[in-house]
Amino acid sequence: MYDEEKSNDGAQKQSLANKFSKLFSELEDCDKNEYKQKIEEIIALMEEMDEEELYSTFTKEIFNKMDEMIEEEKLSMENALFLLIHIGRFISLKDIWNDGFRNSLLKARFEKMVAEEDEKKEGNDEKLIADLGECMLLFGGSTSMEFDSVCVPYLLKVALNKEENEETQKEVETALMALSCINICYKVEKDLYLNEIKEIIQYHEKHHNLTRLAYQSAWGFLIILSLNDQKTIEVIVDELHFEREAARELDELMQSVDWKKKEEEEVKEKGKNEELVLKRWLQNFDNFFVPCGALNKECSGIVESIVGVLRVSRDNHSEIGKRCILSFEAAAEERAVKVDALLKSGAVDAVLEGIQQPTLKHYYMWNCLIFFKDASMLLDEIGGEMEDAKRKELKREMFEKMEEEGYEDIVIWLYHYICPSIFGDFRLVENFPDYFVYL
């Protein structure tokens, strides 16, 4: 039976790959009207593919072939960009790693085109630069600081369009998605972009002109700007009230997602998209905790909101649950939250509850253990005579919780009998046994 299922799965994947190859080859002979239909068929086909299939489909060879089609005038640049932006949106929304484009001749072509348009200064094609920027960013982030400095102003100009028709909303959404993909390794000229992205966020809060995905992406870009920048993080926390806005968005998204559906079951498009937007918010928090911890900004409100997501997602949406645990881990690791806040917010309770699941997955267990390790380091940092009583009280509270609920034995068993065999040597801080659990 296993061999038969494996064979059927392989046949289905081969069928999807063949369908894609056929559709892609037909692009050369399409007229303008047929082209849009073909792209819709390609996007629908991508929805059927899993991550492995998508990764193996969008290879360097595919992008090189597209470059060849452009060179031989079998595919117009307008149609190529139209197709790539749609595929890039899909890959970015699904958070799929794709290195085929990064190493392709097509990427080199686009970089050259951006440089040539920039050299014109006056009379350059602003839409072309914005479209090229979207393609480059959606397929894997910035390529250089110089590229950012050319493309970002044009993408912000698109994103600042306040018309509320459907076509404009889609363009704004795509531009903001692309901006949120900027590689955080490159230094971004924060002062040039801070006012524009603030305006976009504040205008939406008054007029609700953005889609949920666009609004999340706007915050994603702003959080990238905040890395290692005290002024920007203070704007986010104190002026734009990120914790309040993020908590409200998470609450509304939680009401929209069908939590009773199994992960493998089909869901309505709206529900599926909102589930993906929720995941993107959780990823935003990881980056948000970095500058907050460095500047000693307390993020307990965010952690409390994530607790709610973890609890509703636990039964049928393990991937979202995993993201929640990773966010707790990041908050503790970056010192963006204190141990007592982890207790009061319910984060510790929520993590411990998950450990008792009969269908516990290995990666979930691993993330839980990492979270406890990072949280124990926070306890270790509470020092001085004035803080000694507080540290002892937190230790006592955790020990009692573990003993009452029977969690201590469960975690000991997970660590000693499962973790080493799967993950090898799991090194903890020297005095970890004094805190939380006797691992």
Side-chain angles (χ1 to χ4, degrees), residues 109-121:
R109 177 186 291 273
F110 286 178
E111 286 178 322
K112 182 180 179 183
M113 290 174 66
V114 168
E116 289 173 350
E117 287 298 319
D118 185 47
E119 288 176 2
K120 295 178 183 178
K121 301 302 179 185

Side-chain angles (χ1 to χ4, degrees), residues 264-280:
E264 63 271 14
E265 292 177 353
E266 292 186 8
V267 295
K268 291 181 180 179
E269 189 62 29
K270 181 179 179 183
K272 181 186 292 186
N273 284 338
E274 290 182 338
E275 181 180 319
L276 293 171
V277 174
L278 190 149
K279 288 181 183 178
R280 286 168 65 93

Side-chain angles (χ1 to χ4, degrees), residues 83-248:
L83 171 62
L84 286 164
I85 288 171
H86 277 75
I87 296 175
R89 277 177 54 92
F90 184 91
I91 285 178
S92 176
L93 186 58
K94 294 276 190 176
D95 194 29
I96 295 165
W97 177 258
N98 181 281
D99 56 5
F101 180 80
R102 294 180 184 86
N103 302 315
S104 69
L105 296 173
L106 189 61
K107 173 181 172 258
R109 177 186 291 273
F110 286 178
E111 286 178 322
K112 182 180 179 183
M113 290 174 66
V114 168
E116 289 173 350
E117 287 298 319
D118 185 47
E119 288 176 2
K120 295 178 183 178
K121 301 302 179 185
E122 296 182 5
N124 58 16
D125 189 333
E126 294 185 3
K127 185 179 186 311
L128 178 60
I129 295 176
D131 287 348
L132 290 167
E134 287 174 358
C135 283
M136 298 282 280
L137 292 169
L138 290 170
F139 275 105
S142 310
T143 56
S144 68
M145 186 173 66
E146 291 75 17
F147 178 85
D148 289 346
S149 65
V150 174
C151 292
V152 169
Y154 295 100
L155 291 172
L156 281 171
K157 190 172 182 179
V158 175
L160 282 162
N161 191 336
K162 297 179 174 63
E163 295 179 27
E164 295 188 20
N165 61 72
E166 186 176 347
E167 182 179 353
T168 298
Q169 279 195 326
K170 195 76 168 180
E171 291 173 354
V172 168
E173 183 181 84
T174 303
L176 288 169
M177 282 183 69
L179 288 167
S180 72
C181 293
I182 282 180
N183 195 317
I184 61 176
C185 296
Y186 297 118
K187 181 180 178 182
V188 182
E189 298 175 70
K190 301 173 177 64
D191 291 339
L192 296 180
Y193 312 137
L194 181 57
N195 290 335
E196 286 89 342
I197 201 66
K198 272 177 56 180
E199 179 184 340
I200 289 168
I201 289 172
Q202 290 173 326
Y203 186 87
H204 169 76
E205 290 171 359
K206 290 182 179 179
H207 302 281
H208 306 287
N209 64 309
L210 299 176
T211 64
R212 286 199 184 281
L213 177 56
Y215 188 53
Q216 177 277 319
S217 298
W219 278 110
F221 177 57
L222 183 55
I223 288 170
I224 290 172
L225 297 184
S226 75
L227 295 173
N228 302 315
D229 185 77
Q230 182 170 354
K231 175 184 174 182
T232 306
I233 199 63
E234 287 175 351
V235 167
I236 291 173
V237 174
D238 302 326
E239 186 177 341
L240 297 178
H241 309 291
F242 175 70
E243 287 195 63
R244 180 195 67 198
E245 286 299 304
R248 180 185 54 75

